[in-house]
Each structure stands twice: as structure tokens, then as C-alpha cells.
Amino acid sequence: MPAGIWRFAIGINLINVLSMVLTQSDRLLISKLLSIQTLGYYALAYNILTGLALIPGFVTSALFPAFVVRHTGGSASEMRATYETATRALMYAYNLPIWLLAIFGHDILKALTSTATADRTAPVLTVLALGFVCNGAATLAYTAAIATGNTAI
């Protein structure tokens, strides 16, 4: 196999390993440093937001072929326009529910669980929501990088 394919494959594998470490290490650290009850509150907040993380997943799955076609066709301006439009659309669609949870998370949690659970989970939900917004903003950049064969970004 050509060296370019090996470099790409190694880059993809490193990205996947790093992604796994980053997405799982938080719960491991919390379980070792804090009580199991605290881990439960964290898990509740995390699981609520994980459902919303499907939105960027759907968008990137739909756009990956378009990015590849525009890249292989040599149309950098079309790819840039598609990327910019998709990023704006994704951020509008993704940010609204995330910010609603960040701002009104306590009330939503209180309606779904109990006041005590909402009191302990809402601050965690707010911090995690900010992280999920940042992650959502990076998903299209990652997809564009993979579509162009560039894992070194």
C-alpha cells in the first residue's frame, strides 16, 4: 500500500483512540475522585446531552459524501460554501436545545426528577452543555478534514 494510505489510516486510528480516551476519562476520574452518587448526577446530565449529540452526527453523516465529491472535483469554493452553510445551520439547530438545557436545566430536571436531583445535576448540566457546544462546533471541521484525507489538522 502507498505511504499516503498508511499515514491516513494511522491518523484515523490515533483520532479514534484519542476520542475514546477523551470521552471516557471524565467518568473514570469522577468515579475515582468523587462519590458514586456524584457520578450518578454527572451521568444523568451527560446522558441528557448525549441524546442531543445525535444532531451533529446526522448532519456530518449526510455531508461527508458532499465534502468528498467537492474535494475530489477540485471545487474548493463550493466545498467552502457548503461547509460554511452547514456549520451555520448545525449551530442554529444544535445550540437552541443545548442553551435551553444550560439556562433552564434546573427547571427541566426538577420537572423530570426531584428538586434534590435537580439541585445537584443542573450545575453539571450547564458545564457539560458548554463542552457539547464546543464539540458540536468541531464536528464539521473534523468531517471536512477526513473528507479531504487530512488527519493532521
Side-chain angles (χ1 to χ4, degrees):
M1 277 200 270
I5 293 174
W6 278 108
R7 245 181 277 128
F8 181 76
I10 290 169
I12 291 292
N13 282 318
L14 287 173
I15 289 169
N16 287 334
V17 168
L18 182 61
S19 175
M20 185 178 62
V21 168
L22 291 175
T23 58
Q24 301 300 320
S25 63
D26 55 347
R27 288 175 291 260
L28 180 65
L29 285 171
I30 289 171
S31 70
K32 296 297 180 191
L33 299 174
L34 302 172
S35 70
I36 195 73
Q37 185 178 17
T38 304
L39 178 62
Y41 295 128
Y42 179 88
L44 174 60
Y46 186 86
N47 287 333
I48 289 169
L49 290 166
T50 300
L52 291 173
L54 292 173
I55 295 170
F58 295 147
V59 172
T60 57
S61 294
L63 285 172
F64 181 75
F67 287 160
V68 170
V69 166
R70 282 163 179 73
H71 175 70
T72 56
S75 181
S77 62
E78 280 186 35
M79 182 162 173
R80 184 176 297 111
T82 302
Y83 174 80
E84 289 172 358
T85 302
T87 300
R88 277 193 296 277
L90 174 62
M91 288 295 92
Y92 288 136
Y94 191 53
N95 273 314
L96 177 63
I98 294 280
W99 285 107
L100 286 173
L101 283 170
I103 296 167
F104 301 109
H106 186 272
D107 295 330
I108 294 168
L109 286 165
K110 188 175 170 184
L112 296 174
T113 60
S114 68
T115 302
T117 301
D119 290 344
R120 293 195 173 125
T121 307
V124 176
L125 182 66
T126 301
V127 172
L128 280 175
L130 298 174
F132 271 73
V133 166
C134 293
N135 189 303
T139 57
L140 280 174
Y142 167 75
T143 302
I146 299 305
T148 61
N150 186 2
T151 60
I153 292 179

